[in-house]
Every structure is written in C-alpha cells, then in structure tokens.
Amino acid sequence: MGNISTKPVYLEDKLAEIKSDGKLEYRSKALPTWCPGCGYFSISEGVTSALNNLAIKPKDTVVVSGIGCSSRFPFFVNTYGFHTLHGRTLPVATGVKTANDDLTVIAVGGDGDGFAIGGGHLSHVARRNVNITYILFDNGIYGLTKGQTSPTSSLGFTTSTTPYENHDRPLNPLMMMLSFGSSWVGQGYAGDPGHLGEMIEQAIAHRGFSYLHILSPCVTFDKTDKTYGNLNMQVKPIPDDHDSSDLMAAIAMAQNVHKPPLGLYYKEDRPTLADGLDEITQQSGGGKNVVTAKAAE
Amino acid sequence: MGNISTKPVYLEDKLAEIKSDGKLEYRSKALPTWCPGCGYFSISEGVTSALNNLAIKPKDTVVVSGIGCSSRFPFFVNTYGFHTLHGRTLPVATGVKTANDDLTVIAVGGDGDGFAIGGGHLSHVARRNVNITYILFDNGIYGLTKGQTSPTSSLGFTTSTTPYENHDRPLNPLMMMLSFGSSWVGQGYAGDPGHLGEMIEQAIAHRGFSYLHILSPCVTFDKTDKTYGNLNMQVKPIPDDHDSSDLMAAIAMAQNVHKPPLGLYYKEDRPTLADGLDEITQQSGGGKNVVTAKAAE
Amino acid sequence: MKNTDIQISICGSAGDGTIAAGDILKRALAKGGFKVIAFDVYPPEIRGFGKCISRVRVTTEQVYSLKHHSDVLVSLDDSHAIPHVGEVRDSGAVIYEDTPISGVLEGSHISAHISPGQIPYGLPVREISEKETSGNRSRNIVALGYLAGLIGMEPEIFHETIADKFRGKAIKITDMNVAAFDKGYALGQKTFKLDDVTVGKAKKSRNKDATITMMNGNAAVVQGCMDAHIKTFFGYPITPATTIMEKLATEMPKVGGRLLQTEDEISAIAATIGAGYAGSRCATATSGPGLALMAEMLGLGVVAELPSVIFVSQRGGPSTGLPTKTEQSDLNLAVYGRGGDGQIIVLAPTNVEGCYKCAGKAFEMAEQYQTPVIVLLDLYLSNRFETVELPKQSPFTKTSNKAAKKKDLEGGYKRYAFTKDLASPRALPGQENGMHTITGLEHNELGRPSDQPRMHEDMSAKRHNKLLAALSHHDITIEKRFGDEGDVDVGILGWGSNFGECLEAMFKAREEGIRCSAMKVVMLSPLPLGPINDFMDASGEVFVPELNYEGQFANLIQGATARSVHSYTRVPGSPMRVEDMLVEIRRLAKIKKAKKIGKTKKAKKKAA
Amino acid sequence: MKNTDIQISICGSAGDGTIAAGDILKRALAKGGFKVIAFDVYPPEIRGFGKCISRVRVTTEQVYSLKHHSDVLVSLDDSHAIPHVGEVRDSGAVIYEDTPISGVLEGSHISAHISPGQIPYGLPVREISEKETSGNRSRNIVALGYLAGLIGMEPEIFHETIADKFRGKAIKITDMNVAAFDKGYALGQKTFKLDDVTVGKAKKSRNKDATITMMNGNAAVVQGCMDAHIKTFFGYPITPATTIMEKLATEMPKVGGRLLQTEDEISAIAATIGAGYAGSRCATATSGPGLALMAEMLGLGVVAELPSVIFVSQRGGPSTGLPTKTEQSDLNLAVYGRGGDGQIIVLAPTNVEGCYKCAGKAFEMAEQYQTPVIVLLDLYLSNRFETVELPKQSPFTKTSNKAAKKKDLEGGYKRYAFTKDLASPRALPGQENGMHTITGLEHNELGRPSDQPRMHEDMSAKRHNKLLAALSHHDITIEKRFGDEGDVDVGILGWGSNFGECLEAMFKAREEGIRCSAMKVVMLSPLPLGPINDFMDASGEVFVPELNYEGQFANLIQGATARSVHSYTRVPGSPMRVEDMLVEIRRLAKIKKAKKIGKTKKAKKKAA
Ligand SMILES: Cc1ncc(C[n+]2csc(CCOP(=O)(O)OP(=O)(O)O)c2C)c(N)n1
Ligand SMILES: Cc1ncc(C[n+]2csc(CCOP(=O)(O)OP(=O)(O)O)c2C)c(N)n1
Ligand code: SF4
Ligand code: SF4
Ligand SMILES: [Mg+2]
Ligand SMILES: [Mg+2]
C-alpha cells in the first residue's frame, strides 16, 4: 500500500497525469461534473488505469450505475455505459452479464443507491456470484440531492433531514457483503489513489462477484465527519498476516469501523451464476449456451 | 429445550389442546387454511401462548404480515392484524409502531417474503432497532404459489422454477440479521413446539428489534429437503456455554447451517428507534411525544 | 351430420382429481380432432379442500367462449357441486355418486337439488373405484368413463390419454385407471341416452404447415417465446403468470436459453432491460401487483429506448385482490402506469392463438421500435384451453434489432440519431467504436444528458411517433371486425379474453335479427384510431363490455376519440355471461331504433 | 396612484450568489407589503458553475404568473446572462459589470448584446465589492443596491432583510454587506431613471384573521401539514419534493411529531399506510419516480381503505428525465397508476395558497373517505414564491377519522360495514373489542377474505362511490371558473401550476375583446363532472393547455365527458408562455366565429 496523500485530488492534476500515459483511451470526452476535490476523481482514475493494465478493451466493458453523484460515473469513461435508476445498478448489471458472458461488467454507485433503495439486490447478486465487479462509492451522505443522511452516515451527524442529529445506527457494508456470500470483498480509500487503483484492478480480475468498498469524502456536504482530514488519520492497511480465505477473520476485521483497514478482506473461488446456468443447459440435455449477444455486422 | 417431536403437528391435536387453557382468547374464529402437518401450526400455537404468558392483551397486539402461506397468519389469531403486501411486512410494521408506542407489534412472513422481495427492508429495521418482533417462517420454498425456489432453498433442490436443479447458493438469514445489527437473534423449529414457544416469548419480551428464525417444513411442496425427518436429525440445542452477548460467537454459530443450533444467538440492549425519535423531540426543544394514536371513544 | 357442441362441467374438491379428470377429457377429445375450449376454476386457499370446477366445451368448429349452461355436470363432491346444478341446461344430465352414505344430512345429497327438467344419472362411483383401484383413488376416472359411455365417445382415445397422464408412474397404475374407466364406460353405455347430445365426426384440418394442438394461453405464450428464439428470461412467481416461467424454465435451457428467478419483480424487469441493452431477446412475466412494481423501470425502458417484453396476466384487483379470479382491470396500469409521457406498446390477445402470435410479435416490436411491450392476458386466457393451429415454421424473426453499421459509427456514434423511421441504429456492447452511455435522463442524439427545451420536445416526439409504425407491423392483427360489415345498430367494441363472449353475443344477436357487429382491438397502445373511428361511424350505438368496474377500456376509447360509448362493466371474477350482454344489446338496438324514428319524425316536422 | 408591476431577473452562476440576491429582493419587497411571485432556475449539475436565474415579479395586486418579459435584468455572469438579454422588454434595463477585464473575447461582454431599445446600466460592481468586502464576496449585494436605488425602493427594508439573511454569522459580515448595498444604492439613485417603472405604495391587508407572508409551494405544504397537526411522516429525498421533508424534519419534532427518512419510497408509503392504520395523521412526499415505486402499495391503501397523504411534486419525465425542470406529466400516473380498479383522490393546487389548503384538506379527506390522497404539485409550484394570506387559526380538523363506537363493536365488529355514507367506522389498534384483520385481498364486511362475485361487486362500488362525497368536501375549492360568467367563445380548462398562465392569458384575451373564461380543476379524481360539463356547454371551444407531451389532462377530460377539447401541450421544462397561449386562443376564437357564421348562414338558408 502506498503513501496516503493528505491533499484532495484535483481535476487539473489528474488531467495532466492522464495525458502522459495510455489511459486516455478509457477517458470520455466529457469532463466530470463533480465538485473539485470530490473523492470520486480518484476512483475514475483508478478504473481507467485498472482497465488499461488488464488490457480490457473499452468496447468490451460496460459500466452500469444507478443515480447519484457517483452514478454519473459512466459518462466520464469511454466504455459502454448505462446510467440506470436509483438503486437498480445490480439487477441491470446482472441482466447485461447474463446476456453476454464476454463483457466485463462494472457496477458503480453510491451508499444511498446501494444500501438504501438498492439494498434488496445486494444479497442476491452476492449469493449467485454474478461475475461482475461492484464498486461502492461511500461518502456517508446523499450528494446529488444535496446532503441528506445515508445508511452509512455516522451517529450524531447533522444533515438536512436530521437537523437535530442522526440517531439511526449506520450499516456495516463490509460485514453485510461478507455475510451475503460475496466471493471477493475489499476496501479502498479515495485519498490513497495508488492503493485504490491496485484494489480496483484486483476486483475486476476476480472471477465472480467482487465488492470493493471505497471511502470517499464529499467535500461539499460533509465538512465534519468523513473528511480527508479525519479519514487520513483513521484508515490503516490490512495487516500482512491476514488470511483472505478466512471468512471469520474478514468479518472480525470489518467490525473495526473506527480504524477502517484498507485492502483485501476475503477471496474465494466458486462457480459463478453463468457456470450454474451452463450446467442447467447441460442438465437439460440442451446444446451449448447460445445466448451471447453479438453485434450484427 | 424440550424433546423434539418427530411427528408433524396436526390441527386436531392443537384444537383439543388449546381448549384446555386460557389461550383461546388469542385464537381467531377462523381455522387456519394451512395443509395438515404444515409447520406453521406450531408457530401459531407458540405466538398465542407467548402472548398469553406475557399477558399482552389481544387489543394491544398488532400482527403484520406480507403475502404467502405464512402471511395468512394474522387471520388465525384474535388480535389486530394487517395482511399487507408481498415483502412489505417490515416497513408497514415500522409505521404502525412509530404511530403508537403502546402497541406490541409482531411481524410475520415467509422466507420469500422476507429475504427475496422484502430483502431491502431487513437491514434498516435492524439498524434502527425498531421495537418489534419479526418471526420468519422458513420453509425454503414458496408455498402459496405452489413450490418455486426461495432464497433459502438448498443447492441442488428441484422445484418448478429450477426443474433441473437449483444452482443459487442459499442465503444465511441468521448471519445476515446479525450483520445488520439486530439486537436480538434466535432460532426455533416447528417440530419442537415447546422450545419454540419459549423462544417466541423471549423475542416478544425483548425491548428492541428481535428476529426469530423458524425452520418449518412445507409438507406439500418439499418432500425431500427440509422435511421433519431430515430436520429432526439435524437440529441441536445451542451449547449452554454460548455467550449471547458475543456477536462473533453468534456469527460463527450461524455458519453451522447443516446442524442448525436452536436457541438464542445474540442479545444486546440499545436505544430503539422510538428512543431516538423522542431524543430528537427533546433536541428540538419540543414537547413530549404526542403521536401515540388513541381510539376516540 | 349434426355438428358437435357439448359442454361438460366436472365439480369436486381439489383432492378429488377434478382438474385431472377434466384434463384427460379435453386432451382425449382434442386428440379425437374436436375443437376444445376449456377453463378450470381453482380454489384460493392453500390447502386442498376448496372447490374445483373443470369446464370443457367440445365442438366441431372452433367457438369463442364457454356456454353459460352445461350439458352435463359431473359431481365428485356434492357439497361443492350443489350450487352448480342450476348451471345445467334443461334436459341436461347430472352424474353423481348414488351410494347412500350413512349420516348424510338432509339436503346435502345432490339428488335433492336436481330439478325436474334435468336428468339424474346416479352410479356407485366409490364402490367401483374401490374395486378397481386400491383405496378409492380413481373416482374421477370412473365418472369420466361413465360420461364417455353415456355420450358415446370412443374409448380408445381415452385409454391413450390416461396412459399419457400416468407415464413415468408404474404400469400398474395406468392399468388400474384404464380398468376403472372401462367399468364406468360400460355402465354409461348401458344406460338411457341423453337427448340433444350428439358426438359427430371431428373435422380434420388440411393445413399442412400447421400443427393442431390444444393448449392454454400461458402455454401458447411459452410456445411463442420459444419460436421467437427467446434468449433470456427473468421472472418472479405470481398467479396467474407463474406457469409461463415454470414452462420456460424447462424449455429454454434445452436450446441454450437462460432463465433466472430473481428476488422480486423490480429486479426481473431491470435484468430484462439490462439484457435487452446487451442485445438479447428478453422477457419477463407477471401480474398486476408485479406490474405496479415495474412502473419506474418501464419508464427507463421508454427513455433509454430499449427493448423488453412483459407478459402480464391479470387477476382480480386492486392490490392482492382476487388472485385466483379473472379480471381485466390492469388496463389503466398497463397503458398509463408510468411517470412522465411514457407511452409504450400494449398488446392484448383475445384467444389462445393470439397469445402465441402476440408473444412472438412482441419481441419483434420491442426490438424494432425500441420500447417495452406489454402483452396483456388475464387468468381466463392464461388458463383457458383451446384447440389451436400453430405454424410448423416459426413466423417470427430471429432478431429485429436495428444494428449500427460502420457508417453510423464513424465520426461520433449517435445512439439517438433522428432518423426517418425514428428508430436509431443501436450499437451493442462488444461492438467496436460504438461506445456510448445511455441514461434515464433526457439526452441529446449522442445520449448525453441535455435539458434544452428543444431537445426534450424533439425526443418526446421521437419516442411517441416511432410507436405509430407498430400499427402496421407485419403479419399481426391489430384490430379486426367480425359479423355485419356495413352499418349496424349495435357495434360491440371488445378487448382481451372477453372478446370470445363478445363474439358469441354478436352471433346470438344477429340470430335474433339485430344488426350487430363486433370489433376486437388487440393493440391498446398506440390505438388503431382510424379503424376504431370507422367502426364507430358504422355503429348506431357502441357497446363496450369488459371485466372491470371502472370501464377502463371505454374510458380509453372515449379519451382517444372524444365520442361516447356505452360502457358495460362486471367484476364477477369469472367470464362475462353472454346472456347478460344480450339483454344490453337488445336494449341498445331499441334505443337506436327509437333515435332513428325520432330523427325521421324531426325531419318530417321540419319538412312540414 | 399607479399600480406597481415590475419584474426583475438576476442571472449568474451558482457561485455568484444569484439566488441569494433574488431571495433578499423578494423578501424585502414582501416585507414592504407588495405582492410577490418569484421562481428560480437552478442548474442540473452537481457542482456549482451552472446557470442560475432568479426572477421576481412585484405587484400591488396579486398576479398569477411571471411575465414573459422582465423590466430589469441583472447580470452577475455575462456568459450565462447573454442568452437572456432578449427577455428584457423594450426600454427595459440591463445592469452589468462594466469594468473591462483584459483578455475578454469579442462578444463575450454583455454590453455588445444589449439591443438599441434596451437601456444599459454599467457599473464597477467588482471594484465596489472589493472595496467594501474582502475578496469580492458581495458583488450580488452591490448590484442589488444599485437596482433598489435605480427603481427607488426604500433602503431600510433591504437593510433589515440583509441582517436577517446573515443572522447567526459575525456582525461584521452583515455590516459589510449593508455597506456594499448602500454603495450600490447611492450610484443607482444618482443615475438617470428608467421609464415606465413606478414603485407605488403597497396596499395593506385588512384581514385580521390572516397573516401575510411570502413562501413557496413546498413551504406552504409544510405549513398546511403543521396546521393540520400531522403526526408522522416517512419520506425519501427526491427533487423537487425534498424540501418538504427537510422543513418538516425541523418543524415536526417541536410539536412532538415524528419523521423518519426511510430506505426507499416503497418503505415510505408502506410506513405511512401502517401509521394511518394505527390512527396517526400521516404523509409522505415524492416525485414521479418515487410515485411509480409506490404504485403497488397505493393499491393496498385502496382495498384496505386506509388514509394516507402523498405529496407529489412533478419534474420532467419520463424516468429520471429532467430532475430540475418543471412538467405536468405525472397526471396519468397519479390518476391511473394502480393495478385493478384503484381510484383514489387526486388534488392539484394551482397556486401557493392552494398548496396550503390542499395539504391540510388532504388529511381530512384521507381520513374521512379512507383512501390515499395524492396532492399533485410540480417543480414550478414547489419552488415558486408568492405572497399569501394564511389564516391565523388552523382551518383544518385535528382528526376526521370515523371512530368505531361501542354499538359498532357489539356482536362482531364489521370493519367494512356497508353504511349510508359508505365510510365504515374504524376501530384502531389498542381499542377494546375492535380486533380485526385487514387485507389487500377482497373481503367481506368483517374484513375476511372473500371471492364471492357479489361481494366483489359491492365492495368495488363502495370503494368508488364513497369518493364522490369528496366533491362536496367542506371549505375547499374543487373547481372554479374565472372571467366571463356567461357563454364565451373560448373556455380555458386548466390545472395545476400552469393555471396562473391560463388566467393571465384569459385576462389578456379579454382585453383584446375575445369572449373568454377560464376554469381551474383542482380535484382531478374524482372529477367534478357537473361543473366541467356546464363549463363546456358555455364554451364555444374548449382550450386545454398543459405542460406535458401527451395532453394527459385533455385525455382525462375527454375520457370522462366524451366531448372533444383542443389539447395544447408544451414540454420546455419551464412555465408556458402566455403569449403562445394567446395565439392559440385567438385562433380558436376565430374558429368559433366561423362556426357561428356558418350556422347562421345555414339557418338562413333553411329559413329561406
Ligand atoms: C426512485 C428515486 N428516488 C429518489 C431519487 C433522488 N435521488 C437521486 S440520487 C439520490 C441519493 C444519492 O446518494 P448516493 O447514492 O449516496 O450517491 P452520491 O450522490 O452520494 O454519490 C437520491 C435520493 C431518485 N432519483 N429516484
Ligand atoms: C408483488 C408480488 N409478487 C408476487 C406475488 C406472488 N406471491 C405470493 S406469496 C409468494 C411467495 C410465498 O413464499 P414465502 O414468502 O416463502 O411464503 P410461504 O408461502 O412459503 O409461507 C409469491 C411469490 C405477490 N403476491 N405479490
Ligand atoms: S456533492 Fe459531494 S459527492 Fe457530489 S460531486 Fe460534490 S463532493 Fe462529490
Ligand atoms: S403449502 Fe406448504 S407452507 Fe403452505 S400451508 Fe401447505 S405445507 Fe404449509
Ligand atoms: Mg453517497
Ligand atoms: Mg416459504
């Protein structure tokens, strides 16, 4: 894990940087509309470099998102993209992947998108082990709608819908995703783009459902809680001796919410949804899977 | 924990039994429409005896359900009841309880109702610690719609929608509910009505959100998997030395799906949703909570 | 030779094998080359003591609905069958168990309820059954045999059908049941014959390119899906749509298709739209409550201009309503139930063959016009059996996607290009140089979010106008007029499963000398306004019968034409009574006459 | 004394304090006793460089819409303001920064775009601001001061409003801003005056029982909720409804009410209905996408006959559509968007005072008629500020629940008893002897599931007919006619936020000598058919303008009346242009005349 940068990542720096390597191919002509300093810039940077490193072609990549600041993501990468509905990232992604095994499908979205309105889909995509990557942008707030509490907002946090104080205990997304049977679970931090990029790459490379949780400050609507300042002091790397095949150890680590460990929590190899469906085809006596949709050219 | 009865509980036996005690008050005039031998009879018996033992009046009890065989439950007890929509048991129950703290609210429903279509609500009712009891009737199948796979159906199970074989890994409800922050989690078995009754009583008595998972055979649509025969051999009591304040121990135990331990997994005392809302009232400088709805008489 | 037209009702509790007996009956007759239309009624309860009725009408020429009166009622459980004795026509037969069971309460035996005009046929069903099969398991088959003997149907074809039914079970079981059948048959043959019932010879079809089979609406939907080469299906169980998914779960894998039972309907439609985005021929199936949950996602399908097919089988509503009863009350939801200006295509087949056709064509339309397409059935149509002729060669395209060509991709691909036919060429994920992002936000031709007033106006127009082409989609009946082709006194405008009853009513009315015609509207959105207006022009009074309370179709028609119709609504949970419709048609015919006379009088007055 | 009528537009980017300047302006003027109507336009992007426009129209008597042309445009950012120069009337003023910034591209300075008929007022805004406040933070206030000086408004009331605005911040900040304002004011006073602009004296209201305030539609909804003693609220954020929840989150706890932000809209409406079941006065608020998600649960509200209030503020659709633009396209969804025969009450206020009234009355209706009630706003109305007179005493009941009395509970309580007024007495949980179970299944009077045809017919009738009483609900305007009361050539039938424009168009048309009248329909379901038909009888041509593509209201009216209307639809995302409506009204008036002449000619011919 690299050095944790203490300053926010500004758009200008990034632009200069990406011009100097081959990642430009993955970058959309549209400039991100995020606020300067928003953690999301690092994530966009990380995804493009991961795809580049893994040599996955833009044409074979589909980025699916819901609604939120985070979900604007697909517009800012030069791949196929689908900006769907609030909370429906995962079922749409499941549909895309089920229709065409050859695609690399990356689902992205915010904490509200994924764990509030979309919460009902999480456990099912995990247990089915759909071979997609889900990158969750956790800023602990609703950014796009201008600052309401989210399911990961801290106790005592004051927002426009909790003007006195938030009394709802936040969820623990990592623990949840582990308990659902996700076959790859990790955590990154927008303030540490180097490490983040590595994690994204691993997550995409994993065969099966990978869940990457990213702590990412909202510089506009959270001035007190999940700021770069606070998070920089809290995050720490996962100890070297952590056994990523040990589910109980991963769950124990996930409980450490005040000093969030960054890195790979858990990894397991098991059949994917597509494996199961192919097996069913065989069990039915049917021919080879013919579903992969091809462009007619 | 009592002896595990190996024969299914038949309607006739129950009728004779309940006539002999004071529980009749809690029993609806409508006879359950469940198939003879269905595990649900034990649960209905357990709820009425628990309410009787706890001296909670029928008029102060509201049983809220979704849709499914299990969700027909409210018709068979003589309390206030609300048979809502498939999957919406918990948010409706949250509304009822938020409107009137004085009511004892019991939410009931099936594995499909709770963990498929209703799955998005689970984590939120748990983290908010809504002071209700949720009794989940797990038969590993969709009973009312005549036998499709459910999120708790075993791998390899054959149903009308998985005519070849089920390849979707089942969820682990207990682990999930623990990871969501439920303040009381336990497991019972329809084939052991004595112990089940005790568990229901404890769950209702708990101040906060209590989740009771009940293994309950569907004698009509599952002849091979979660039958009384199989379950009788599998279930076992929780060891006496289990510390129910130890979350990690509870999670570890929940992983033992092949020999499901029956009893109390976890219990914690912490503020309920209503406590938080009352605190907000105070923080706002507002008067005492005036929301409790009273019948105009 | 007289044409055959017999209707048989079998009534009992679920445990009695009522539905099974009806099933054997209709399959045997269909095998024999007759036309069959059949509809079963199931109990709403979970456990199996509720009332079941199996009704089978068998004819030489295809008819369009069940008759209100049956020729024969077979009782397998008197407590359930007694309320249905009245449904037997005068001189019709009631077949029942006549062995007295001790302790039977006064009036609880059906024989006390048979009216003088009806003919009682009692026989010792239980006794025969117990003799032929251990433990009285074949009561339904004994009764069936008796029925077949009484009416004079050929026994061989029943033997075959029974063997089919028990295939996979021990041979002994088949043999015992065949024996039970034969015992019943012999008795039936021996007894005095029923009047007005003839089993003529069946007609053979001469269409070499078609296969004649008997199936219900849901099975026809499945066949349509398979013939249209469906690739992916995502669904969640709900009565009465479940059997579509169940049958597809068996069939699709055999040809490499993929089916997934999702966690709910929102997920089902989301995945369907995701698969459609990826270029897959995709569908889901549900009923009213599920369709309600899909409302938001269907709006995305509209704005993103993606194909998806949604089979909706209606049941009684609103809410959980009457899950095992039929109704046509989800029309509003199907046509109007999306936020914003969210028009889509809605097809409502009127019979089983139409289910097949609409299913297949829905895929073509979804792809060609880039839109969600709802195929609106109901419980009556989903579960109604009819003899149908299905083409041996699939009449459906394999894909109707408008693929983006090289020239479309050059110089910045425009996913939502304004083209002549308003459907823009689609680049599919995986396609070189076609990368783009689609969104539920309003967008420009590139697909980029845009909130410019002009763009929103133009895209709204594109989304609506492109659907109009569906009105002349190749090889599908969008609407059709039956009966009198000229000016009529009463025009019946009908839709969906209820149109069979409309046709029967129309034919009956014409027999009575009423100038009457009927038009079915299959495409409910967009509406074929031209033909509808022509029909209204030709009809003195327009009669719109439907199985909902609000008169949803009547309202749809009035909204679109601003012309008034006579809305006729009933919500019994069962098919509409043709007799009741006739009363109304007669009344309207009179109004029409009165108006005519009035007009003539007025004209005369003025002239004077 | 001449009446005041000035409209000011302030245009800049979000970072410029555009909206804040507009806010101070309208608050100061409202304080001064003027009537204000104001509407801001926000950028759709997340980060703050998009265009903002604040438009304020100030008048002596209340008017109904903004004018298409402003009298003054204040530019805080020329790149955004240039496209809006055309919106300034002839002889109107453009106020802008005139210090030349080096390197400014040709044409990028606004002065090059001001037309000869318009009057340029340049001043060194930046320079003054930098002098008075550190770092140029008060440019908006300097410009505002200049404007006030130019037009001749009293400065004191601005000082107060500025102090209010910065209350809670350091005193120094207020002082600096007041100084900036005064600098601008002094310059404005000194310069040459603008023609045709007079600030008259404001009128004082003499209604002692009312408070005059200025607020937007969402704030009025909140006030209505509070005055109606709302007890519980469950909601999920979505533009443009979010501010309802945000304001309630502050207000409700102060009086012991409870508000919960739920995990989604399904949960919000489910909890609302749950709370309603428990006897609590309850509501939720959302926009189109959220309403779509609520469709299934609202059906439960219908069958279970439970009260709930749903505030829906529409935005551009379908799907995510245009989240920061206004539109009236969720009417179909609100009126028709439920499975089964699922009619509910839908109220659409037409102005800010109506938002208050409808909000409060919605609770009464929901309880009294035991049904979900949708109050349909849109972004334009939610965010539009108007001066309103609110009653000092709440005009709403504390509860309108029809409680079950002792006699209702004796001998088996019937939750769904058929009563005279069709609303059955409700026993609430906690009430002795009232235990019962309610369900989304069709049921009998006891609430037990029933699938008997007759019961379903009767319960359907009960559910629909009981709603008709809402048409004569106490003390609320269901519909209202304005302008000419007799026969007219053109009748404008309008609804919702757009009705202000309808009124303005009607008044203008009458000024032109066109016989014209306008009717607003506030209750969209059930429709007040009597008055609507009367209005149509009195109107030569019926003109139905609305902000959606499909003409949803026109279709609703045609469906209900079977009479044809002229549908006029626009989807610019902004209020309708009164001028455009006038063109259409003139055309219709001509049609009417032509028809009349035709008729007379025909009559003459006949007579001849
Ligand atoms: C059905 C629906 N409900 C609500 C909204 C409004 N909405 C848009 S984004 C959002 C929350 C965004 O929060 P999050 O998912 O955490 O993303 P972030 O903006 O923080 O990246 C909400 C509530 C919507 N678009 N659709
Ligand atoms: C929105 C919606 N979708 C589907 C259904 C159909 N449905 C009714 S019950 C049920 C599943 C029942 O399974 P479960 O919840 O496990 O309860 P069980 O019958 O096994 O007790 C389904 C799918 C419905 N009523 N509503
Ligand atoms: S509002 Fe917050 S989350 Fe959204 S772009 Fe700005 S900083 Fe990022
Ligand atoms: S179908 Fe299964 S779950 Fe339903 S009542 Fe019968 S045994 Fe119980
Ligand atoms: Mg967020
Ligand atoms: Mg179940």
Side-chain angles (χ1 to χ4, degrees), chain C residues 126-168:
Chain C
R126 186 179 310 269
E127 200 185 297
I128 302 173
S129 171
E130 273 169 7
K131 229 178 259 166
E132 297 307 324
T133 46
S134 52
N136 167 31
R137 300 278 295 281
S138 59
R139 284 172 52 235
N140 56 342
I141 306 292
V142 173
L144 191 63
Y146 186 82
L147 170 78
L150 176 68
I151 297 189
M153 294 182 267
E154 294 166 24
E156 294 73 25
I157 222 148
F158 280 86
H159 293 168
E160 277 174 39
T161 312
I162 291 171
D164 274 359
K165 185 97 191 169
F166 295 101
R167 195 178 307 288

Side-chain angles (χ1 to χ4, degrees), chain A residues 11 32-36 67 69 72 84-86 88 112 116-117 142 144-146 148-149 160-161 163-164 168, chain D residues 44-47 49 236-239 242 245-246 249-251 253-254 259-265 293 319-320:
Chain A
L11 180 60
T33 47
W34 295 314
C35 310
I67 301 289
C69 292
R72 289 281 175 130
T84 69
L85 293 184
H86 195 37
R88 309 310 162 199
I117 192 167
Y142 286 8
L144 190 62
T145 47
K146 300 181 193 281
Q148 298 78 27
T149 18
S160 63
T161 44
Y164 302 107
D168 289 348
Chain D
E45 289 83 25
I46 313 146
R47 73 184 159 135
F49 301 137
Y236 191 76
I238 186 165
T239 309
T242 311
M245 172 162 55
E246 288 176 341
T250 305
E251 298 305 321
K254 294 182 190 163
L259 178 141
L260 187 68
Q261 181 182 324
T262 54
E263 60 272 21
D264 62 12
E265 289 88 349
L293 286 172
S319 195
T320 315

Side-chain angles (χ1 to χ4, degrees), chain C residues 4 15 29 42 67 111 174 263 287 382 421 437 449 500 510 515 517 534 568 599 605:
Chain C
T4 306
L29 291 167
Y42 296 93
K67 299 191 281 189
S111 57
T174 303
E263 60 273 20
S287 184
S382 282
D421 68 357
T437 291
R510 293 188 63 188
R515 295 200 318 160
S517 173
D534 291 347
Y568 179 83
K599 262 191 200 158
K605 246 190 193 165

Side-chain angles (χ1 to χ4, degrees), chain A residues 40 70 110-112 137-143 150:
Chain A
Y40 297 169
S70 34
D111 41 335
F137 299 24
D138 183 9
N139 56 6
I141 198 137
Y142 286 8
S150 99

Side-chain angles (χ1 to χ4, degrees), chain A residues 89-169:
Chain A
T89 323
L90 293 176
V92 173
T94 300
V96 173
K97 185 70 184 177
T98 303
N100 187 343
D101 286 332
D102 296 344
L103 300 171
T104 295
V105 178
I106 302 171
V108 302
D111 41 335
D113 194 73
F115 284 83
I117 192 167
H121 309 299
L122 295 165
S123 63
H124 299 280
V125 74
R127 75 185 178 99
R128 290 182 191 126
N129 203 24
V130 186
N131 187 8
I132 63 175
T133 297
Y134 184 30
I135 308 182
L136 199 286
F137 299 24
D138 183 9
N139 56 6
I141 198 137
Y142 286 8
L144 190 62
T145 47
K146 300 181 193 281
Q148 298 78 27
T149 18
S150 99
T152 59
S153 293
S154 305
L155 277 172
F157 191 40
T158 300
T159 72
S160 63
T161 44
T162 51
Y164 302 107
E165 205 169 84
N166 176 32
H167 287 271
D168 289 348
R169 177 200 269 215

Side-chain angles (χ1 to χ4, degrees), chain A residues 253-270:
Chain A
M253 203 158 64
Q255 281 179 259
N256 195 352
V257 285
H258 296 297
K259 293 264 169 220
L262 304 182
L264 174 64
Y265 281 61
Y266 183 70
K267 182 172 161 55
E268 171 193 6
D269 281 315
R270 67 169 217 266

